[in-house]
Amino acid sequence: MDDVESTPRHQVRCDGCSQLTPSYDIVNYGSMERGYRQLCGRCFNTEVAKTAGVEGFEHASFEP
């Protein structure tokens, strides 16, 4: 039997922070040359801010 960790249905493990995240909050971020990573919204926003040179970026969290 494989040692594959089971995850709750419709959740994906973020490649940035390793947290289980609802699949609707996952972004496939990258390129064909470097490959893609599945990032949660928080990690994606942080990565884009870093790439754009934004200093002091803080991710805003809103309750539904």
Side-chain angles (χ1 to χ4, degrees), residues 41-56:
R42 176 180 290 278
C43 289
F44 172 73
N45 289 340
T46 302
E47 184 73 24
V48 171
K50 184 173 86 174
T51 301
V54 176
E55 294 183 28

Side-chain angles (χ1 to χ4, degrees), residues 2 5 20 25 33 36-37 39 47-48:
D2 292 333
E5 181 179 332
L20 282 178
D25 192 27
E33 294 81 19
Y36 291 90
R37 297 183 296 154
L39 300 177
E47 184 73 24
V48 171

Side-chain angles (χ1 to χ4, degrees), residues 1-56:
M1 180 174 224
D2 292 333
D3 290 333
V4 176
E5 181 179 332
S6 66
T7 58
R9 191 172 185 180
H10 305 293
Q11 293 202 355
V12 176
R13 189 164 305 279
C14 174
D15 290 332
C17 65
S18 299
Q19 295 293 314
L20 282 178
T21 305
S23 59
Y24 61 79
D25 192 27
I26 291 290
V27 177
N28 290 304
Y29 180 70
S31 67
M32 289 175 54
E33 294 81 19
R34 296 181 134 190
Y36 291 90
R37 297 183 296 154
Q38 292 184 315
L39 300 177
C40 66
R42 176 180 290 278
C43 289
F44 172 73
N45 289 340
T46 302
E47 184 73 24
V48 171
K50 184 173 86 174
T51 301
V54 176
E55 294 183 28

